[in-house]
Amino acid sequence: MFDLGLEEKIVLITGGSDGLGRATAERFAEEGANVLICGRRKEHVEEVAAQINTSKSTTGKVMGVKADVTKSEDCEKLINEGVEIFGAIDVLVNNAGASAAFGIEALDDDVWINDFNLKVLAAVRLSRLAIPYMKQRGGGSIINASISGGKAPRGGALPTTVMRSAGLNLTKSLSQEFAASKIRVNAVCIGLIKSMQWVRRAGNGTPEKLYDEFSKQIPLGRVGEASEYADLVAFLCSKRASYITGTAINLDGGLCPVL
């Protein structure tokens, strides 16, 4: 048995009500972790938490909280609620973030500021708030969701690639600063993986044709599954990955041109 040692760990996942975040919440709950997920829609995030809790494979407890992580007060409220509900924080997964890909001429200052708040400043605030609780527990783990474009940006993919590059810098910086406190910090650089953004983009709720087109670009010949992202995140936060920190792992079927 490959025991990840996540039972009764306290996990906070931003953007946890759909797609990759939901899959990650399900994976941790299956391992016996207690999970707090957040999203901007109160009824939806609470409904998702209830659905995960009723699954036969769930052995942990999942709670849903409404929060907009672009707002400082919501970040603080989220951390406080997590500690109030579960008593601690062991794992933070900074998963929130929507894809945006434009040329620089199409972007005004507001777009840059909003994307910075969502993808960079939210991770900064939540890490800063969660780390003291992790220190109290004798260690912890932070995962920052990123994309392969954060390492190898292409043209017309702004502002996302800039923000994800900043997230990779944050990952390495925090891993160095808090290694002595046994707080490990890693990033997952996703490529083309099945998620709600592609379902929405398809328009009719059937993105298979879109996935087929994507698959032609990917060396492994297929689009990734949300469960594969969840598996990697859970592993990186587990005792089995206790010697891994400061890394940015490509999860993209070989698409990224750099290591």
Side-chain angles (χ1 to χ4, degrees):
M1 181 178 178
F2 196 76
D3 180 16
L4 294 179
L6 293 170
E7 190 173 0
E8 297 186 357
K9 294 293 185 182
I10 312 302
V11 182
L12 170 57
I13 303 172
T14 66
S17 59
D18 286 309
L20 303 183
R22 175 172 180 161
T24 305
E26 292 171 342
R27 186 71 178 89
F28 275 105
E30 289 169 358
E31 291 292 328
N34 295 315
V35 185
L36 184 71
I37 60 174
C38 78
R40 296 182 183 183
R41 295 170 291 165
K42 184 178 188 296
E43 290 184 1
H44 180 63
V45 73
E46 291 178 350
E47 180 183 353
V48 168
Q51 290 172 354
I52 299 174
N53 282 327
T54 57
S55 171
K56 292 181 179 179
S57 59
T58 297
T59 57
K61 183 178 180 181
V62 181
M63 296 291 291
V65 172
K66 178 183 182 296
D68 180 351
V69 296
T70 66
K71 299 178 179 178
S72 176
E73 61 270 23
D74 277 23
C75 289
E76 189 169 350
K77 172 191 169 187
L78 182 60
I79 294 293
N80 290 341
E81 289 203 29
V83 173
E84 183 178 343
I85 293 169
F86 292 123
I89 297 174
D90 297 301
V91 173
L92 169 63
V93 182
N94 288 311
N95 176 75
S99 178
F102 302 95
I104 193 167
E105 293 172 300
L107 302 174
D108 60 23
D109 286 0
D110 286 342
V111 175
W112 283 96
I113 292 168
N114 291 337
D115 212 52
F116 177 76
N117 284 335
L118 177 61
K119 295 184 178 122
V120 181
L121 198 51
V124 169
R125 288 169 174 157
L126 289 167
S127 297
R128 185 174 62 212
L129 291 164
I131 283 170
Y133 292 105
M134 293 180 182
K135 286 181 176 179
Q136 292 176 12
R137 300 278 277 184
S141 182
I142 298 173
I143 300 294
N144 293 318
S146 187
I147 60 170
S148 54
K151 295 180 178 181
R154 60 179 177 82
L158 302 174
T160 294
T161 53
V162 171
M163 302 309 162
R164 293 312 193 187
S165 292
L168 297 182
N169 185 297
L170 178 66
T171 298
K172 179 60 79 172
S173 296
L174 294 183
S175 73
Q176 297 290 299
E177 184 174 356
F178 295 104
S181 298
K182 295 184 173 57
I183 297 172
R184 298 182 299 105
V185 188
N186 293 290
V188 176
C189 297
I190 65 169
L192 295 168
I193 294 181
K194 294 177 183 179
S195 66
M196 283 303 298
Q197 70 171 323
W198 304 125
V199 174
R200 296 188 188 102
R201 184 172 297 187
N204 57 7
T206 54
E208 284 72 22
K209 185 177 291 187
L210 198 59
Y211 294 152
D212 287 342
E213 287 300 312
F214 288 159
S215 296
K216 297 173 184 178
Q217 310 171 40
I218 304 169
L220 284 182
R222 66 175 178 86
V223 173
E225 301 289 340
S227 60
E228 293 175 304
Y229 170 82
D231 286 344
L232 178 57
V233 172
F235 170 73
L236 287 173
C237 296
S238 76
K239 65 181 182 182
R240 297 292 185 178
S242 60
Y243 201 54
I244 301 174
T245 193
T247 64
I249 298 176
N250 296 338
L251 184 70
D252 63 0
L255 186 60
C256 184
V258 299
L259 294 174

